[in-house]
Amino acid sequence: MKRNVTAVSLGISIAALALLSGCGGSASSGNPGSAGEVYVYNWGEYIDEEVISMFEEETGIKVIYDMFETNEEMYPVIEAGGRTYDVVCPSDYMIQKMAENDMLAEINFDNVPNIDQIDPVYLERSKSFDPDNKFSVPYCWGTVGILYNTSLVAPEDIPTKWSDLWKETFSGEILMQDSVRDAFMVALKSLGYSMNSESRAELEEARDLLIQQKPLVQAYVIDQVRDKMIGGEAALGVIYSGEMLYIQEEVESQGLDYDLEYVIPQEGTNVWIDSWVIPKNAKNKENAEAWINFMCRPEIAKMNFEYITYPTPNKGAFELLDEELQNNKALFPDVDSLDNCEVFQYLGDEVDTIYNDLWKEVKSN
């Protein structure tokens, strides 16, 4: 669930690079375009650019690479079909929505033998949105938790639960995600409910709790939470775990006199999974499967992890990492700590409307 505000400008540069790398290709294997094309649609800054060139050189398949910033931006593009993509990387709940609306093709896993490199744990979790594991292959995953500043949070106030974000002690020091499902996840989990609740009564209770919290909230943010926390502008922030490696490196490089620690709250949280899928109208399905297979190769998955810093579900890539990274619990938490966690599910347009309407009430109150 990578989010990046520079996706549009970066998308232009990578698309241009991909097009240039395909120019002048001959019919011989290894020259981009000699084995056809593959149209890829992915999040901004969600791949090591060198991987694209390596794929083209090895397979002879020319990559046309475009980017989106949100699942909600991506969906209507695929639905309309005005521009046809062969392989796309949505998040869990959006994959479920696409599958239910008959927008995805079944993957021929005979063409994706490297699927055996994906840890079965993540294939099992994927069944919550892809019950038979026939439409998707995990690419990245992560959790949502609380990041706190050790110099601004007293030892006795170190957060362990989502409900700690309602403590008066932290008034004006809390950063919340400016996202309807993420914000409601925090409130629903703190109330002991499922983050996929469809109960209007539970959702209204969560709305009231979020409105109650508003006076304590410094700001609702997305990408800015990372930089605000590094800058010491807030004591606590709700954040994606994939930001942690960057944050830890920045704290060290800037010689800051405080640490930023990450906690998965006891009530449980969102374990999100972004996966490769093939739209039903793909024109180059076998090339899309070649792309997915290449992304599942351990050394390629490791390159992508090192570039984007979001956890990899690839067991072969994990085994190639330094022991220090393997033991980084912010990036790779113990499975036991995820017992109370869930994966976001698509709840239907009617329930989505309820969430959106209640979120508007929170923001406008």
Side-chain angles (χ1 to χ4, degrees):
M1 196 172 285
K2 178 72 171 178
R3 299 181 180 182
N4 194 286
V5 295
T6 61
V8 175
S9 60
L10 185 61
I12 294 172
S13 65
I14 290 186
L17 177 65
L19 287 169
L20 285 173
S21 68
C23 290
S26 68
S28 61
S29 177
N31 291 319
S34 62
E37 301 172 330
V38 63
Y39 285 76
V40 181
Y41 203 23
N42 194 10
W43 299 83
E45 292 196 69
Y46 217 31
I47 196 169
D48 186 331
E49 294 180 40
E50 187 178 350
V51 165
I52 299 174
S53 299
M54 291 171 65
F55 174 78
E56 289 186 319
E57 183 177 351
E58 179 174 315
T59 65
I61 298 170
K62 175 182 172 183
V63 178
I64 295 86
Y65 193 97
D66 289 337
M67 299 186 187
F68 57 86
E69 294 187 20
T70 67
N71 285 293
E72 288 67 30
E73 173 192 332
M74 174 278 302
Y75 182 86
V77 173
I78 303 301
E79 183 181 38
R83 182 167 176 81
T84 304
Y85 289 98
D86 301 309
V87 60
V88 187
C89 189
S91 301
D92 32 56
Y93 70 96
M94 192 57 71
I95 293 171
Q96 181 183 355
K97 180 176 181 178
M98 295 170 79
E100 289 183 6
N101 289 324
D102 196 29
M103 292 169 59
L104 299 180
E106 291 189 24
I107 297 172
N108 179 359
F109 286 98
D110 288 341
N111 294 330
V112 190
N114 287 333
I115 186 69
D116 65 2
Q117 293 298 317
I118 301 300
D119 193 314
V121 168
Y122 306 105
L123 292 175
E124 187 62 34
R125 287 191 176 275
S126 295
K127 289 182 179 179
S128 65
F129 57 89
D130 182 8
D132 298 316
N133 289 137
K134 62 183 180 180
F135 294 120
S136 63
V137 174
Y139 177 58
C140 291
W141 72 283
T143 60
V144 179
I146 301 172
L147 187 70
Y148 68 92
N149 186 315
T150 58
S151 70
L152 298 177
V153 176
E156 63 271 19
D157 290 324
I158 290 175
T160 59
K161 305 183 296 295
W162 287 122
S163 57
D164 290 334
L165 296 178
W166 275 260
K167 285 185 175 180
E168 294 287 341
T169 308
F170 300 128
S171 180
E173 293 287 343
I174 299 170
L175 300 174
M176 286 285 288
Q177 284 287 320
D178 191 11
S179 160
V180 55
R181 290 297 298 269
D182 287 323
F184 270 84
M185 180 274 292
V186 172
L188 287 166
K189 281 294 191 183
S190 70
L191 290 166
Y193 301 140
S194 168
M195 68 183 196
N196 291 308
S197 175
E198 299 180 42
S199 163
R200 183 163 193 119
E202 292 178 358
L203 294 175
E204 288 178 349
E205 191 177 349
R207 172 205 59 193
D208 294 344
L209 195 62
L210 289 170
I211 290 173
Q212 178 188 329
Q213 183 203 34
K214 279 191 73 175
L216 309 179
V217 176
Q218 180 188 119
Y220 294 94
V221 292
I222 298 180
D223 293 315
Q224 303 96 316
V225 63
R226 180 180 70 182
D227 296 328
K228 280 180 171 287
M229 291 298 297
I230 292 172
E233 298 178 41
L236 303 157
V238 179
I239 197 167
Y240 291 98
S241 60
E243 304 287 358
M244 284 309 303
L245 190 56
Y246 172 85
I247 288 170
Q248 291 164 349
E249 290 173 348
E250 281 298 299
V251 167
E252 182 178 352
S253 67
Q254 294 183 27
L256 301 178
D257 59 358
Y258 51 80
D259 291 321
L260 298 174
E261 300 291 343
Y262 181 79
V263 173
I264 296 177
Q266 293 173 1
E267 304 101 324
T269 188
N270 170 23
V271 177
W272 56 266
I273 300 175
D274 291 345
S275 302
W276 295 110
V277 299
I278 300 175
K280 199 165 188 177
N281 63 351
K283 296 178 180 178
N284 304 288
K285 186 171 183 287
E286 288 191 4
N287 286 354
E289 289 162 347
W291 171 271
I292 295 172
N293 192 54
F294 192 78
M295 294 301 127
C296 290
R297 189 184 296 175
E299 63 271 22
I300 298 301
K302 178 176 180 286
M303 285 180 65
N304 282 327
F305 164 74
E306 291 172 341
Y307 180 80
I308 64 180
T309 73
Y310 275 64
T312 174
N314 191 295
K315 60 185 180 181
F318 180 81
E319 290 167 1
L320 294 174
L321 299 178
D322 294 338
E323 187 175 345
E324 182 179 354
L325 281 173
Q326 291 178 344
N327 294 327
N328 187 323
K329 298 307 179 185
L331 287 171
F332 299 104
D334 292 327
V335 174
D336 290 345
S337 69
L338 304 180
D339 283 348
N340 296 322
C341 298
E342 301 175 78
V343 174
F344 274 136
Q345 295 181 340
Y346 168 58
L347 304 174
D349 291 343
E350 185 176 339
V351 177
D352 277 354
T353 298
I354 295 174
Y355 271 88
N356 291 330
D357 289 346
L358 294 178
W359 179 236
K360 289 176 185 176
E361 292 181 30
V362 172
K363 297 298 289 292
S364 63
N365 190 282

